[in-house]
Amino acid sequence: MALPAKNLLGDETSPYLQQHKGNPVHWRPWSTKTLAEAKALDKPILLSIGYAACHWCHVMAHECFEDDEVADVMNRLFVNIKVDREERPDIDQIYMAALQATGEQGGWPLTMFLTPDAKPFWGGTYFPRKARFGRPGFVEVLNAVHTAWKDKQAELARSADALAAHVASRLAPTPDGAAPAAPPLQPLAEKIASMMDPDLGGLRGAPKFPNAPFLDVLWLDWLENRTVARRDAVLGTLRSMLSGGIYDHVGGGLARYSTDAQWLVPHFEKMLYDNAQIIRHACFAHVETGDELFRMRIEETIGWVLREMQVEGGAFASSLDADTEGEEGKFYLWTRSEIEKVLGEDAETLLGFYSLSKPEGWEGDPILHRLHRPDAQPPAEERRQRELLDRLLAKREKRPRPGRDDKVLVDWNGLTIAALATAGRQLARRDWIEAAHAAYRFVCESMQDERLPHSIRGEKRLFPALASDYAAMISAAVALHGALQENAFIKQALRWAEMLDRWHADEAGSGYFLTASDNADVPMRIRGDVDEAVPSATAQIIVALTQLSSLSGDHALYEKAMRSAEAALARAQQQAYGQAGIIHAAALAQRPMKLLISDTSQHERFVPVANRISDPRRVDVVLKEEEKAPAEQMAGITIDRAVPGAWLCVGQSCLPSIHDPVILEATLRSSRKE
């Protein structure tokens, strides 16, 4: 069965695939039809994976995929498949693991060569049109792979079988042995801390990524074990990131990573997931320190999310491109003369506080940062600087904008909804909570037969969802319940937990697969154990089920969370990296917290305390006079509603009732393992 000899991406949902619909390459989307075509023609597959905001994906597209000569070779020799890694992270994880297993460093664009039955046998990342950067030219690569396939097909097929088996052992492993007696949170935190840059935070060296799963581990170790050095490592990392060039001081929001070791030179693409996680971590840092730097960055980053990432209907787009008019970072950069033209005499005021730097090797305009003035200044000074930055922002809004990938990814939106709800509670911003609720409604309205999609763009929906979509939206519902105390969020989250069980649970009841059981186009069902820039799907599921169990009083959910955690910890012992999320989630599940509050509607005393002290371990329930809350039943305590108070339950036991808001605040701030 041969599909039409033309490019077939024109009807795809993904903006990334749409970017390639005009290529002379006969691209196909990943589908059962495309895989059947490769088998029928007995042709190897050229798989190209990228995403809309990826700079080097654009470079390779311009150099190779828009070139008629290159396209002719590709079309003659291969079945060519283009995949958006954000739409199909399951496909991306499989073939990225295959590339790394061959000893190559991973990255995007990912270029893999597969047998006709989709088993990988060789690959790389970016290839130039003609040989340079120490890389062979792409036509040379294509012809060499074709020759090898023609002359050594049996040998390559054996290698592909072995590589596929290795990938399966990495991404869908069978546990060999028991889980550790307790999640190794402290040893992992110590190992991570030993790799941290003592001066600027983050892992030593370049490039520097936010690495949220590592920060989660360090922060939980601080909360549980009062390891001050772990707290300081997180705070130092956040201060450096939020003061460096990786942060957009004019418009808010964090770039995906810095190319250097000082957080100075950003790779300018902005991803929704990074910014959801930085909002969350900044909330925890602000609770701990009261440092106004964190409050300002929360406000600025949420301002950017609502201004530049919100799509019609209230949900959030996936990313902004690194490039504008073919030039990396052009939208974000300023020369001194440009600043002086906008600000006049006030330019000296701004540049006495912020710096413009053009480090060696950087070819663009200077980068604005405040690495030399990271600490928050007196409020009047910060307000004055913000006024000047807003004048630059107004000017910048008139520039040609970077491309926006406006597909709505359900799991990334779940992360963002939870972050907005947390920040809205903490800083008493009802508008942020309302924005979170609007995005939540958008996702709910996209369901079919009670199932979530993974991606939404306009009227198009990509089904079925991934396990991470259900986990992230369960956590989003929990966060919104904390903000609005409406039981409808619990009911919806319980239905999502049912869908997770129905479509993603393994036969042994020991955990979940990333892809749904009725997804017919995956070469293997993988667990989703490996962290990327966000915690793994498995980690997110453990946290979501633990939180929902505490909130709903459904102990069976907690048992599922613990079985999943134990099985995942057993699998994690066989893996070399990428398991921080599982260890963090298992430690959190071991000692979850819930706070029950009975307050007076006329004069709340305890709710404001709980709102402003966010804690990743805790869910909060405000008890209503007319009903006995499920969380109250689960706690096994009797509450006198006539007397306002609070009850903090840690693990399987509850502390004595608290009737003084001052004592509640001290308890929430000092709660730790005894």
Side-chain angles (χ1 to χ4, degrees):
M1 179 195 73
L3 296 174
K6 63 179 183 178
N7 189 312
L8 300 180
L9 299 182
D11 293 330
E12 293 301 303
T13 302
S14 159
Y16 174 66
L17 300 187
Q18 288 288 321
Q19 289 174 359
H20 293 270
K21 69 180 181 181
N23 294 167
V25 178
H26 294 166
W27 289 121
R28 282 86 170 88
W30 183 278
S31 69
T32 53
K33 289 183 179 179
T34 302
L35 298 177
E37 179 187 32
K39 284 186 177 181
L41 297 176
D42 196 28
K43 266 189 174 184
I45 295 168
L46 192 165
L47 174 64
S48 176
I49 302 179
Y51 58 101
C54 169
H55 172 72
W56 286 103
C57 299
H58 299 327
V59 173
M60 188 169 178
H62 295 322
E63 292 181 351
C64 298
F65 305 145
E66 296 172 7
D67 184 279
D68 289 332
E69 181 185 347
V70 175
D72 179 66
V73 177
M74 293 173 66
N75 296 336
R76 283 191 295 104
L77 303 182
F78 302 95
V79 171
N80 302 290
I81 302 179
K82 176 62 78 172
V83 168
D84 180 344
R85 70 172 297 262
E86 297 168 356
E87 277 198 338
R88 296 304 303 266
D90 47 351
I91 302 300
D92 178 62
Q93 285 187 35
I94 290 167
Y95 294 107
M96 185 63 74
L99 178 68
Q100 292 169 338
T102 66
E104 295 289 328
Q105 184 173 352
W108 299 277
L110 174 61
T111 307
M112 291 298 294
F113 295 91
L114 321 179
T115 65
D117 57 353
K119 293 178 181 177
F121 62 86
W122 191 78
T125 53
Y126 160 78
F127 290 101
R129 170 67 178 83
K130 296 188 181 297
R132 60 193 176 106
F133 305 136
R135 295 173 178 268
F138 195 47
V139 172
E140 179 185 343
V141 168
L142 297 173
N143 285 318
V145 171
H146 171 68
T147 299
W149 178 255
K150 187 173 61 175
D151 296 344
K152 301 178 180 179
Q153 186 171 143
E155 182 181 336
L156 289 179
R158 286 193 297 272
S159 296
D161 287 342
L163 188 54
H166 174 82
V167 171
S169 72
R170 166 83 172 125
L171 299 182
T174 302
D176 182 16
L185 178 68
Q186 281 187 288
L188 177 59
E190 185 174 350
K191 182 178 180 180
I192 292 170
S194 72
M195 299 187 291
M196 298 286 280
D197 183 328
D199 299 317
L200 289 170
L203 299 183
R204 292 191 187 93
K208 267 183 156 53
F209 288 82
N211 208 323
F214 279 12
L215 296 183
D216 284 340
V217 167
L218 295 173
W219 195 252
L220 186 59
D221 189 49
W222 150 245
L223 292 175
E224 286 287 287
N225 301 306
R226 280 314 194 237
T227 43
V228 174
R230 309 292 179 262
R231 176 199 66 187
D232 292 348
V234 174
L235 295 176
T237 297
L238 293 175
R239 286 193 175 102
S240 292
M241 280 196 294
L242 296 173
S243 300
I246 188 176
Y247 183 78
D248 178 4
H249 294 275
V250 173
L254 200 71
R256 193 166 77 91
Y257 65 93
S258 68
T259 62
D260 64 316
Q262 286 74 45
W263 302 108
L264 176 59
V265 181
H267 187 47
F268 286 89
E269 62 200 26
K270 283 184 176 180
M271 314 302 295
L272 184 65
Y273 59 76
D274 281 324
N275 286 284
Q277 293 180 113
I278 202 68
I279 291 166
R280 181 172 172 270
H281 285 129
C283 283
F284 300 152
H286 185 253
V287 168
E288 177 62 29
T289 65
D291 189 335
E292 284 293 285
L293 172 70
F294 299 120
R295 181 194 60 76
M296 291 187 296
R297 296 297 180 263
I298 293 167
E299 291 183 346
E300 291 164 357
T301 301
I302 293 177
W304 166 75
V305 168
L306 298 181
R307 184 181 67 250
E308 299 191 29
M309 301 302 284
Q310 201 166 37
V311 303
E312 184 177 355
F316 302 104
S318 297
S319 64
L320 295 183
D321 206 328
D323 300 350
T324 309
E325 299 180 313
E327 185 175 329
E328 185 180 4
K330 183 177 180 180
F331 179 73
Y332 299 101
L333 298 172
W334 300 87
T335 63
R336 185 181 186 94
S337 62
E338 286 174 324
I339 292 175
E340 290 172 344
K341 187 174 181 180
V342 176
L343 299 183
E345 294 179 356
D346 291 331
E348 289 302 318
T349 302
L350 182 79
L351 295 175
F353 194 83
Y354 287 85
S355 300
L356 282 172
S357 296
K358 191 171 181 178
E360 184 178 355
W362 174 243
E363 297 178 356
D365 287 335
I367 298 160
L368 189 70
H369 66 95
R370 56 183 278 181
L371 282 168
H372 305 302
R373 299 285 294 274
D375 297 330
Q377 301 302 301
E381 175 65 21
E382 290 289 358
R383 284 195 297 273
R384 175 60 174 152
Q385 296 297 331
R386 187 64 254 169
E387 290 169 0
L388 299 178
L389 291 169
D390 284 344
R391 286 163 62 184
L392 294 182
L393 178 61
K395 180 66 173 179
R396 195 176 81 178
E397 291 292 290
K398 299 176 183 177
R399 293 176 174 178
R401 302 189 64 82
R404 185 174 78 162
D405 185 333
D406 60 357
K407 69 178 181 289
V408 172
L409 294 173
V410 168
D411 48 0
W412 295 6
N413 269 259
L415 295 175
T416 307
I417 292 164
L420 291 175
T422 298
R425 288 182 67 191
Q426 185 169 314
L427 297 181
R429 290 292 298 266
R430 184 77 183 190
D431 55 329
W432 297 349
I433 296 170
E434 290 172 354
H437 197 186
Y440 177 88
R441 284 195 300 267
F442 180 103
V443 172
C444 289
E445 290 167 0
S446 73
M447 293 190 295
Q448 292 180 10
D449 301 324
E450 296 195 80
R451 296 182 73 176
L452 287 167
H454 173 61
S455 178
I456 308 157
R457 188 169 186 246
E459 298 301 316
K460 294 184 178 181
R461 310 283 187 271
L462 180 65
F463 289 94
L466 301 167
S468 55
D469 297 311
Y470 288 105
M473 287 306 297
I474 290 170
S475 291
V478 169
L480 276 170
H481 178 272
L484 297 173
Q485 294 296 320
E486 295 176 7
N487 286 338
F489 295 116
I490 302 177
K491 293 176 182 177
Q492 180 60 70
L494 288 169
R495 289 197 290 272
W496 283 330
E498 290 173 5
M499 293 295 104
L500 186 64
D501 268 347
R502 184 180 303 177
W503 299 107
H504 296 270
D506 62 22
E507 292 182 357
S510 63
Y512 300 86
F513 289 103
L514 180 61
T515 45
S517 58
D518 61 345
N519 191 328
D521 68 4
V522 288
M524 66 180 73
R525 286 184 83 194
I526 63 175
R527 284 287 183 179
D529 284 352
V530 181
D531 297 332
E532 294 184 325
V534 300
S536 67
T538 299
Q540 292 185 57
I541 290 166
I542 294 166
V543 172
L545 295 182
T546 300
Q547 292 174 331
L548 183 56
S549 171
S550 292
L551 204 54
S552 67
D554 186 340
H555 191 68
L557 283 176
Y558 184 64
E559 292 176 341
K560 290 176 183 177
M562 290 305 293
R563 285 198 299 272
S564 296
E566 289 168 2
L569 285 172
R571 296 193 300 269
Q573 293 185 106
Q574 305 169 43
Q575 307 299 333
Y577 58 88
Q579 311 296 308
I582 286 173
I583 292 170
H584 169 265
L588 189 148
Q590 193 175 48
R591 278 177 26 92
M593 292 183 180
K594 55 182 171 287
L595 179 67
L596 307 177
I597 297 173
S598 179
D599 227 335
T600 60
S601 57
Q602 295 84 4
H603 183 63
E604 291 183 337
R605 301 170 63 215
F606 297 93
V607 169
V609 173
N611 282 348
R612 66 175 177 263
I613 304 177
S614 56
D615 187 319
R617 303 168 295 176
R618 204 184 77 233
V619 298
D620 299 344
V621 179
V622 178
L623 303 174
K624 298 176 182 178
E625 294 181 7
E626 67 273 12
E627 61 185 11
K628 190 175 181 69
E632 181 182 351
Q633 296 170 350
M634 187 176 178
I637 57 178
T638 301
I639 292 175
D640 181 0
R641 307 294 180 88
V643 181
W647 293 258
L648 180 64
C649 302
V650 182
Q652 307 307 313
S653 62
C654 297
L655 303 180
S657 57
I658 299 169
H659 298 288
D660 184 338
V662 175
I663 295 175
L664 176 62
E665 177 153 354
T667 301
L668 295 182
R669 290 188 180 279
S670 65
S671 181
R672 59 183 175 86
K673 189 184 296 183
E674 296 298 335

